[in-house]
Amino acid sequence: MGRHVDNQAFKPVDRQRYRNKMQRGLDALARMLAEGNFSFPHQQMGLEMELCLVDEQMEPSMSNAVVLEKISEPLFTTELGQQNIELNVEPQVLAGDSALELESRLRAALVRADGGAHDAGAKIVMIGTLPTLRSAHFDPNWLSRNPRYSLLNEQIFLARGEEMLLDMEGVPLDDAQPEKLRSYADSILPESACTSVQLHLQVAPEDFAAHWNAAQCLAGVQVAIGANSPFLLGKALWHETRIPLFLQATDTRPVELKNQGVRPRVWFGERWITSIFDLFEENVRYFPALLPEPEEEDPLAALDSGRAPTLAELRLHNGTIWRWNRPVYDLVDGVPHLRVENRVLPSGPSVVDIVANAAFFYGVQRALTEQDRPLWTQMSFAAAEENFYAGARHGFDAHLYWPSVGWVSPDELVLRRLLPMAHDGLQACGVSDAARERYLGVIEKRCMAKRNGATWQRETVALLEDRGADRRGALAGMLRRYIDLADNGDPVHTWPVG
């Protein structure tokens, strides 16, 4: 989705040409997979993190253009809403002390960026959903000043034909009644409330299916132990409210198409795969193009000439289908490679929590791909999807299904079964003992305490309300304390409440 899109008025012939170009791209991809035309010198990881901006009153600060000008670093870029920026970390090898180096690089980059934000009267926050957002912040005027965002907004609403409806029921806070949200929006800006961490892992083509299937198996556990998005528009909702919010904020389907079973563009999927080709082929078969602007390159002709094609149409289309584990085809210096992009996790709470979440994911994912009997042959895809939504809704209080274990809480599953696998997987990846012990130790202690960002936020808001604050004041007070603790750098399981 990062590619600049110029066309402002798509015609029927554009969509037909684009569909034809995507089909030629699929044919080219199939040839490349068959011929082994991909680079894989060593396993690399990458990370993207979306961030929020707030002012002194803890309200959203619609200042990303000014903040980015003050930061003046190519690692930082715009995101959908003017209260968002994004940090892109350069790819690095997974082995050795890379995780420790990643933590150090993230801390340094965020300190520098926060200095620039301070000069613009703002403060950077790593959090899954900004709790002080209000409906007024979803006005289309607050879209970032980039043509692709306004064009995407326009195309989604043209496809939908009516306002967006945000409709969800929360998990009771402090033994109260469940809170309900029902709110309409006339832009896709509710999506800007979803600030996430995206983990990338470069894989060999023959290993892609196993890594993607393993990531799907892990999604429910990841979101349960890493939840950090419990509040939206003043309501206590899911522990990881990003999950239903992202689905609803980009939904091109009116009610009638939902009733027909038309697939949403934010999608968990519906089956285990045998190749990355399965996912790109599903994209073309099921989803109309939102931004049908074809490029001149013929991908098959590029292959015939001995050059790797850009597959521009397939890649742009893939960027408008928000799978929670997304396939990525990319080129570096004209050489193609494949990645799994894991999009499950929220931003924050602290840098060490973020790196710990990444280490846990990469370790267990690797271990699952090397099992003699793959987990996904013992588990229905529907069970993996059910785990995902249960983990997002209930966090540590979820009940997840796991083969040979049955129904189990996330903390018990991690402590008894998945942490040893994560250690084995990271060792197999060549990760140093120091990095492995540091970050998996954070996950172990988080699970023992049963405290992630969501539980800390919920407990803190409940306490502030018990002391007499109204909801708006409690959210602002919680967020101020959250920022101070995150800046201190300690993992969230150590954060005090009160």
Side-chain angles (χ1 to χ4, degrees), residues 85-111:
I85 59 174
E86 181 176 275
L87 167 60
N88 295 285
V89 178
E90 293 180 356
Q92 60 189 68
V93 296
L94 184 56
D97 284 334
S98 284
L100 297 168
E101 295 163 6
L102 174 62
E103 181 184 353
S104 178
R105 289 167 62 190
L106 281 175
R107 288 186 193 276
L110 288 167
V111 168

Side-chain angles (χ1 to χ4, degrees), residues 134-155:
R134 289 174 278 114
S135 295
H137 299 122
F138 297 154
D139 186 282
N141 289 324
W142 296 124
L143 283 165
S144 287
R145 302 305 181 206
N146 186 312
R148 78 175 185 265
Y149 295 131
S150 58
L151 184 58
L152 182 65
N153 181 71
E154 173 189 307
Q155 292 300 308

Side-chain angles (χ1 to χ4, degrees), residues 69-86:
E69 183 179 350
K70 297 287 186 182
I71 296 172
S72 189
E73 289 189 40
L75 293 178
F76 292 89
T77 185
T78 57
E79 250 300 327
L80 179 66
Q82 292 185 33
Q83 83 276 13
N84 302 133
I85 59 174
E86 181 176 275

Side-chain angles (χ1 to χ4, degrees), residues 95-97 100 423 426-428 430-441:
D97 284 334
L100 297 168
H423 279 282
L426 291 181
Q427 283 183 319
V431 174
S432 71
D433 290 345
R436 181 171 52 81
E437 294 292 342
R438 173 169 173 76
Y439 299 116
L440 296 186

Side-chain angles (χ1 to χ4, degrees), residues 161-218:
E162 61 190 48
E163 287 184 312
M164 293 292 177
L165 173 61
L166 307 180
D167 186 9
M168 56 195 84
E169 181 175 301
V171 177
L173 182 66
D174 200 22
D175 297 324
Q177 290 298 310
E179 298 177 25
K180 297 181 181 181
L181 174 67
R182 188 175 177 86
S183 178
Y184 288 91
D186 58 356
S187 78
I188 60 171
L189 272 170
E191 182 193 337
S192 71
C194 305
T195 37
S196 64
V197 167
Q198 291 120 44
L199 303 175
H200 292 254
L201 185 68
Q202 183 178 347
V203 297
E206 62 272 19
D207 297 331
F208 184 92
H211 279 83
W212 188 86
N213 289 340
Q216 293 288 96
C217 291
L218 287 172

Side-chain angles (χ1 to χ4, degrees), residues 246-311:
F246 203 178
L247 168 63
Q248 294 177 17
T250 57
D251 203 343
T252 57
R253 308 166 303 163
V255 171
E256 294 80 5
L257 291 185
K258 292 181 190 177
N259 293 340
Q260 292 176 38
V262 172
R263 296 161 180 83
R265 297 189 84 97
V266 173
W267 196 31
F268 188 78
E270 61 190 15
R271 60 177 175 137
W272 306 119
I273 64 168
T274 58
S275 167
I276 190 174
F277 184 86
D278 297 345
L279 301 177
F280 280 106
E281 197 257 346
E282 284 179 350
N283 287 356
V284 175
R285 187 194 318 159
Y286 294 143
F287 299 99
L290 284 178
L291 304 172
E293 186 176 70
E295 300 226 344
E296 292 303 317
E297 179 191 72
D298 182 331
L300 292 172
L303 272 182
D304 290 339
S305 69
R307 182 168 49 83
T310 63
L311 302 186

